[in-house]
Amino acid sequence: MRLYKKEGNTVQILSYPTDNIEKGDYLLVEDANVNRKLITQVIDVQFASVPGLLEELLRDSTMEQQVYGETIDPLGVTSHINHIQDARMLLCKIRGTMLNQKPHVNSSWLPTRSKSGITKIPINILLSHAADSKELPINIGKTKDGTTLNITAHDLDGRLNIITGKKGTGKSHLSKLLVLGLVDYKATVVVLDLNGEYTGLGTSSKGGTNQYSDRVHVLTPGSNFKVSLSQMGLSVILKILVHALDLPGTSTREFKHIWKTLCQQRKISMHELGEAIKQSTCNMHVRDALFSRYYSLVNSGFFTDSEDSATSFEKLFEKTKQTGGALVINLKDISAVDRQIVLEYTLGNLVKILGQWKIKSVFLFAEEAHLYLRETYWEDIVTRMRHFGLFTNFVTNQPDTIQENIYRQADSIFLFNFTNERDLETVSKAARVDSETVKSIAQELPPHHCLLIGKAVNDFPAMVKVRALDIKTMGETRLFFENQNN
Amino acid sequence: MIEQHNYTTTPTYNLPPSPDDLQLPQPFIELSQYTMQNIQSTTMHPNTAETTQQTTAYIENTAPITTIQHPATITTTQLQPDQNLKPVVAVDVSSIRIGETQAGALCAIRGAIVWKEKNRYRYQRLGPFPFHITEENKTEIHKLFQNNHFEIGENHRTPNINNIQARIGNLLERWLQLGISCSAHDTIILWDGSMTAGMPDSPTDEMSRLLETARNRLSTVLAFSKNTTLRFDGQKLTDLANKAKPPCLIKVNNYPVCSGPVLLLGNVYVAKLSSGVCQFRLDIDKKVSHEQAVEAVQSLLGNDLIVQSYPETLRLAHIYSTFTATEVIGIQRFISKQYGLRMVTRPNVRRMLFGMFGKGAEATQ
């Protein structure tokens, strides 16, 4: 391999097929004189523009229907000619320099063109040089050269991460892997599970229990997840009424008044709330508005007056504090309004608990969050809630539903295959990688392969085949024609 | 009574019975290896100038017979394609300068034989063969020519290094032509170039033997020259056919057959075989009657594709023998890897001196 050209932070390297270089590989351009190496990553493999090649191909291909024959080449020169024809130009992005076996994100240095030696470096070796800490590893899968790629739980701690890719590429699978990886290190994880995909986390692939069975708590609203009004502060119930049920301002003021009265009387329950609204002397329209919201709350089945059947997040978090655990909020088969009620409660309560330092921090995994999180929540989650210890991981197959400022603040992106240019354009707005890398590599990622970008891989984008998990798969699409031939 | 043709395979070359299994001349391969294995240099200066290839036809056209004066006359014969199936075989060889070493020049030679099989063309490419020509080994090369009768006169000096490249190419071409003459039967054999003999690369005896062998096997050799210096009555010979209606053959009668040691073994024609702007000098074996010559060209018309008056088989032979720029780089790489030569590009003196005021390539590069 030879260094050919540099333009901006892109270098072109001449190589031959025998070098066996593919997209995503890392190459070290070593300048022996200064004992320094340029770290580059191949983002595209093109054919080298060799003079006379067109003539050659025209001669060989356009006539092949009518002309055939053989070449007698006793000295074996033809193999060298073919070698030239197959020469490749590797388009590489400069990722940094390696000085004294330590990678630095610095691309201002350029090695000698005439004497540089170029070698391939496995990504796990590069990352092992780059990583500050090797504690709490989470095995993501295998790199192209078959070695295990680990990130650390620290890479997810206090960070904003996005898992995205088109349908069926393995986003949810990776998300589950990260959830269980965190649980392994006694972290508390809350999963907003839109399609009930995470409900099998505590069940092995064969249907029995697995090592996570007692640490995964599936909460189905209206079933084993009910709350009482007494658990809830005014702020949480107001968020539900205002944001989930669109209660107007005047009615909100009246509700506050009713709530305070109930608090003074220590009669906070759904039944008492209904009675209080009924007896309220407020404007008829306000009372109607309050009644309609009240019945929405009642009909959601999410509220109970029985303190025994009410779910307490505090208690659940007490449990997960010891052993770690995942609370899976199963939002499957729940109407959009009820979903919003549950979400407003969950997030409001989480912030409240975190604010009271009852737990240190929570990792939130939100699948297709645009379907249940109001827009104003995005910024709130990303900017404000981070300081309370709520670390969010968004999982989506519609990258344009996540706002641009979130991409810009994302610490790591786990990118699966996208074919659509517009989707890639959206993801490429992430600040931690150049758009060319995203567009070039993500378009050709096979299913279950992921491009890791950002802090999780110390800003050295890496391709990985996500490893399998011994859990019951719940996210499979139900097929009409399945087993029809049997 | 049908004449019994006297033909035997030439013992020197042990030629095969058909072009299909034509074997490479072993001494040629050995010579290539010998010259390359004895490279003393450690560096090689690749040829950076525009690739100048020599096809063997180039040498023949330097023949001193250049002017045909009166009382020569011309006869035009209109042609009718003869559709009776007849094989057509063409041979061409190219050589190219690959680079230089401290001791001499590096070149490569490649030959191609193309023949028409039913409606398809089949080719056999021989080579490329690299050669390292130095002052020291040029006598060895010369010896090979002598051993194979490709040398005239005892007093003929060893050619200079620059000419040897073309001479080696010619040697291979003659070998291939002889192989075809010996193996093909009742075939139209196409050569690139003329039938000029008596030049260092085309000894009269050898050339005559080539033609005789072909004749004995009922084959006819047609030699097409893309360029000719022959002039008739002051104008370029091929211009005689400018206004002729194709397909036609214009025969130049009574031209001088020899000039000093140089001898024309063929009758000179101008062939305008199809519409278009091209016409070519065509040499046909002198010992073949005019009628047979016309029949042979008519057979060619009926059995091969003719574009711009040039037979497709010969065009393909040319295409398959010439070197593309990629191939030159590939051969340079082969030499570098196989014989451990380091490539060092010499500065282009013309470009350094004249820059944009230079000629051709160096002005634009």
Side-chain angles (χ1 to χ4, degrees):
Chain A
M1 284 183 279
R2 296 295 301 270
L3 187 62
Y4 171 60
K5 207 189 244 182
K6 178 186 179 289
E7 275 171 14
N9 73 336
T10 307
V11 289
Q12 291 181 27
I13 291 172
L14 187 67
S15 109
Y16 291 102
T18 45
D19 296 323
N20 203 16
I21 304 293
E22 291 177 26
K23 266 189 191 184
D25 286 344
Y26 275 89
L27 302 175
L28 286 181
V29 185
E30 184 173 9
D31 191 335
N33 293 336
V34 288
N35 195 22
R36 208 169 170 187
K37 294 166 190 170
L38 192 72
I39 305 167
T40 65
Q41 186 181 26
V42 180
I43 60 157
D44 200 10
V45 182
Q46 302 174 343
F47 283 115
S49 169
V50 183
L53 192 67
L54 187 63
E55 288 167 71
E56 196 92 15
L57 294 175
L58 284 170
R59 180 169 71 188
D60 293 346
S61 64
T62 56
M63 297 187 288
E64 63 195 10
Q65 299 295 316
Q66 300 296 324
V67 187
Y68 70 106
E70 58 179 335
T71 299
I72 298 171
D73 175 23
L75 304 181
V77 185
T78 311
S79 63
H80 291 263
I81 295 169
N82 293 341
H83 210 66
I84 298 294
Q85 287 181 338
D86 288 336
R88 275 112 208 259
M89 193 58 77
L90 309 175
L91 246 65
C92 307
K93 284 282 171 194
I94 297 172
R95 301 287 182 218
T97 51
M98 183 93 90
L99 193 60
N100 301 324
Q101 300 300 315
K102 190 82 190 155
H104 299 272
V105 185
N106 166 23
S107 58
S108 58
W109 170 75
L110 190 64
T112 159
R113 177 155 64 177
S114 57
K115 285 175 186 159
S116 285
I118 300 174
T119 48
K120 194 167 148 180
I121 178 168
I123 179 67
N124 59 330
I125 292 180
L126 182 66
L127 291 178
S128 69
H129 288 310
D132 297 324
S133 162
K134 289 174 187 169
E135 290 171 354
L136 315 182
I138 298 175
N139 176 1
I140 298 292
K142 293 214 180 294
T143 59
K144 224 157 24 83
D145 42 22
T147 52
T148 303
L149 186 107
N150 292 331
I151 61 167
T152 73
H154 295 293
D155 296 324
L156 305 175
D157 198 6
R159 305 275 166 87
L160 167 70
N161 305 308
I162 298 170
I163 302 170
T164 187
K166 70 181 180 195
K167 202 176 75 180
T169 49
K171 300 178 300 298
S172 301
H173 178 79
L174 174 68
S175 170
K176 288 170 198 170
L177 192 151
L178 295 178
V179 168
L180 297 181
L182 289 167
V183 169
D184 279 335
Y185 298 117
K186 300 180 180 174
T188 302
V189 182
V190 173
V191 182
L192 305 180
D193 184 9
L194 189 67
N195 299 310
E197 287 178 64
Y198 295 76
T199 53
L201 281 182
T203 312
S204 76
S205 53
K206 287 173 187 163
T209 55
N210 65 10
Q211 60 186 108
Y212 302 103
S213 298
D214 54 347
R215 287 184 281 173
V216 174
H217 311 280
V218 179
L219 305 176
T220 307
S223 173
N224 67 343
F225 184 22
K226 288 185 178 180
V227 293
S228 65
L229 281 185
S230 57
Q231 292 174 328
M232 222 176 284
L234 176 64
S235 63
V236 176
I237 191 72
L238 277 182
K239 272 183 183 168
I240 293 172
L241 292 173
V242 174
H243 298 304
L245 301 173
D246 293 326
L247 187 71
T250 321
S251 309
T252 307
R253 273 197 301 278
E254 186 57 33
F255 180 81
K256 277 183 192 168
H257 177 70
I258 293 170
W259 183 270
K260 274 180 189 166
T261 314
L262 288 174
C263 278
Q264 282 163 3
Q265 295 168 357
R266 296 180 184 276
K267 284 180 177 176
I268 296 184
S269 69
M270 284 301 282
H271 174 74
E272 293 299 334
L273 179 63
E275 288 301 314
I277 294 170
K278 204 187 282 178
Q279 288 161 18
S280 169
T281 52
C282 62
N283 177 293
M284 188 181 73
H285 296 293
V286 171
R287 195 168 54 224
D288 283 352
L290 287 173
F291 255 127
S292 75
R293 269 62 178 194
Y294 170 75
Y295 285 119
S296 292
L297 295 176
V298 171
N299 292 337
S300 71
F302 184 53
F303 292 89
T304 175
D305 286 340
S306 159
E307 291 298 327
D308 296 336
S309 60
T311 309
S312 162
F313 266 145
E314 279 93 337
K315 281 180 191 165
L316 282 170
F317 286 146
E318 274 306 314
K319 232 194 247 178
T320 61
K321 242 197 224 174
Q322 311 301 319
T323 55
L327 306 188
V328 179
I329 318 281
N330 182 8
L331 302 172
K332 194 182 171 190
D333 303 329
I334 293 179
S335 72
V337 175
D338 293 351
R339 206 157 53 203
Q340 286 245 291
I341 294 170
V342 174
L343 260 298
E344 290 291 348
Y345 168 78
T346 306
L347 291 174
N349 217 16
L350 270 179
V351 172
K352 191 176 124 191
I353 294 168
L354 287 166
Q356 292 165 352
W357 276 93
K358 287 182 180 167
I359 46 168
K360 219 169 163 187
S361 55
V362 170
F363 294 88
L364 179 73
F365 281 76
E367 185 130 359
E368 303 304 348
H370 63 281
L371 293 177
Y372 46 80
L373 283 189
R374 61 190 156 83
E375 281 205 358
T376 49
Y377 247 133
W378 293 111
E379 273 192 50
D380 206 27
I381 283 179
V382 172
T383 55
R384 201 172 66 84
M385 291 194 188
R386 189 157 55 94
H387 300 291
F388 285 99
L390 186 66
F391 311 135
T392 316
N393 298 275
F394 291 115
V395 186
T396 183
N397 60 19
Q398 296 177 52
D400 53 353
T401 57
I402 296 176
Q403 290 172 0
E404 192 181 322
N405 59 347
I406 293 178
Y407 281 107
R408 293 202 181 280
Q409 293 179 68
D411 295 293
S412 298
I413 295 178
F414 301 82
L415 180 60
F416 287 82
N417 180 286
F418 269 124
T419 320
N420 189 294
E421 288 276 342
R422 208 178 127 202
D423 289 334
L424 289 168
E425 193 66 51
T426 311
V427 180
S428 66
K429 284 171 186 157
R432 306 211 70 95
V433 74
D434 59 287
S435 63
E436 279 171 271
T437 302
V438 170
K439 285 177 190 168
S440 175
I441 297 181
Q443 257 181 340
E444 286 168 28
L445 284 169
H448 310 296
H449 284 70
C450 158
L451 177 70
L452 272 70
I453 299 165
K455 286 183 181 165
V457 281
N458 293 86
D459 289 317
F460 292 109
M463 271 167 68
V464 62
K465 185 179 183 203
V466 182
R467 72 180 166 92
L469 283 172
D470 180 28
I471 52 164
K472 196 175 177 193
T473 317
M474 304 297 287
E476 281 178 343
T477 308
R478 196 192 309 179
L479 301 173
F480 178 78
F481 294 110
E482 197 176 34
N483 300 328
Q484 202 148 92
N485 291 333
N486 297 343
Chain B
M1 192 177 133
I2 298 168
E3 190 185 338
Q4 176 66 50
H5 291 287
N6 174 27
Y7 73 88
T8 51
T9 52
T10 314
T12 321
Y13 311 118
N14 191 24
L15 290 160
S18 81
D20 214 350
D21 32 41
L22 187 73
Q23 283 176 8
L24 277 167
Q26 197 56 34
F28 193 83
I29 302 168
E30 283 165 8
L31 183 68
S32 165
Q33 286 175 321
Y34 167 78
T35 62
M36 294 303 295
Q37 276 159 3
N38 289 299
I39 297 177
Q40 301 293 323
S41 309
T42 52
T43 55
M44 165 187 167
H45 308 288
N47 221 22
T48 50
E50 214 171 289
T51 52
T52 45
Q53 305 199 38
Q54 290 184 358
T55 58
T56 44
Y58 171 77
I59 301 297
E60 277 95 344
N61 281 320
T62 59
I65 301 171
T66 53
T67 313
I68 303 164
Q69 300 286 1
H70 284 295
T73 56
I74 56 167
T75 318
T76 305
T77 309
Q78 289 303 132
L79 303 169
Q80 286 293 323
D82 178 0
Q83 306 291 348
N84 288 327
L85 211 63
K86 202 166 201 178
V88 180
V89 184
V91 183
D92 200 6
V93 170
S94 288
S95 68
I96 193 162
R97 176 71 73 93
I98 297 297
E100 284 174 25
T101 64
Q102 284 108 317
L106 288 158
C107 67
I109 316 287
R110 180 160 64 191
I113 302 165
V114 176
W115 62 103
K116 201 172 175 217
E117 270 184 352
K118 294 173 185 165
N119 290 323
R120 295 177 76 187
Y121 292 94
R122 190 164 169 192
Y123 70 86
Q124 197 169 59
R125 276 207 283 194
L126 308 153
F129 301 104
F131 283 88
H132 182 227
I133 308 162
T134 63
E135 287 296 335
E136 286 72 39
N137 71 18
K138 72 178 187 183
T139 26
E140 290 291 326
I141 297 168
H142 200 232
K143 226 183 264 176
L144 179 78
F145 295 145
Q146 285 177 325
N147 290 345
N148 293 283
H149 316 288
F150 280 90
E151 194 52 80
I152 52 160
E154 285 293 313
N155 58 351
H156 196 83
R157 287 184 302 140
T158 309
N160 69 37
I161 288 176
N162 292 332
N163 287 343
I164 280 193
Q165 176 188 325
R167 299 276 299 275
I168 298 170
N170 271 309
L171 177 66
L172 180 63
E173 186 162 37
R174 297 287 170 241
W175 247 318
L176 298 179
Q177 286 170 347
L178 189 57
I180 297 298
S181 292
C182 293
S183 58
H185 181 262
D186 196 14
T187 300
I188 307 289
I189 300 171
L190 304 177
W191 289 3
D192 184 31
S194 69
M195 286 184 185
T196 310
M199 304 284 288
D201 310 290
S202 51
T204 311
D205 290 349
E206 287 303 312
M207 294 288 286
S208 303
R209 195 156 66 94
L210 284 177
L211 295 172
E212 188 188 350
T213 311
R215 266 195 321 274
N216 288 345
R217 292 184 62 86
L218 303 179
S219 299
T220 311
V221 178
L222 307 178
F224 282 82
S225 303
K226 288 185 285 296
N227 295 306
T228 181
T229 50
L230 281 181
R231 300 184 85 80
F232 178 81
D233 203 13
Q235 64 174 323
K236 199 176 174 186
L237 185 71
T238 47
D239 291 346
L240 292 176
N242 276 351
K243 290 177 182 169
K245 189 184 165 203
C248 71
L249 206 54
I250 297 167
K251 190 184 178 196
V252 183
N253 303 304
N254 305 324
Y255 58 86
V257 289
C258 66
S259 165
V262 176
L263 184 70
L264 293 181
L265 296 180
N267 286 322
V268 177
Y269 294 84
V270 177
K272 187 166 188 176
L273 303 182
S274 68
S275 54
V277 292
C278 298
Q279 47 258 348
F280 299 96
R281 172 184 160 182
L282 173 61
D283 288 15
I284 305 176
D285 189 357
K286 207 179 269 292
K287 294 196 175 162
V288 168
S289 67
H290 175 66
E291 289 70 30
Q292 273 181 294
V294 170
E295 277 172 26
V297 179
Q298 293 189 141
S299 260
L300 176 70
L301 283 172
N303 285 279
D304 199 6
L305 178 69
I306 307 287
V307 179
Q308 287 287 354
S309 294
Y310 203 72
E312 180 68 5
T313 315
L314 192 54
R315 193 179 78 90
L316 288 174
H318 178 79
I319 288 172
Y320 280 107
S321 69
T322 49
F323 296 92
T324 63
T326 321
E327 288 172 330
V328 172
I329 299 168
I331 296 165
Q332 286 170 344
R333 186 177 185 275
F334 166 79
I335 292 170
S336 170
K337 290 254 171 193
Q338 199 75 12
Y339 303 102
L341 295 187
R342 196 162 51 85
M343 297 239 218
V344 178
T345 309
R346 277 205 173 125
N348 186 328
V349 178
R350 292 186 70 88
R351 201 184 307 162
M352 281 164 64
L353 289 177
F354 308 127
M356 61 183 286
F357 300 104
K359 289 187 214 162
E362 66 257 22
T364 52
Q365 276 169 11

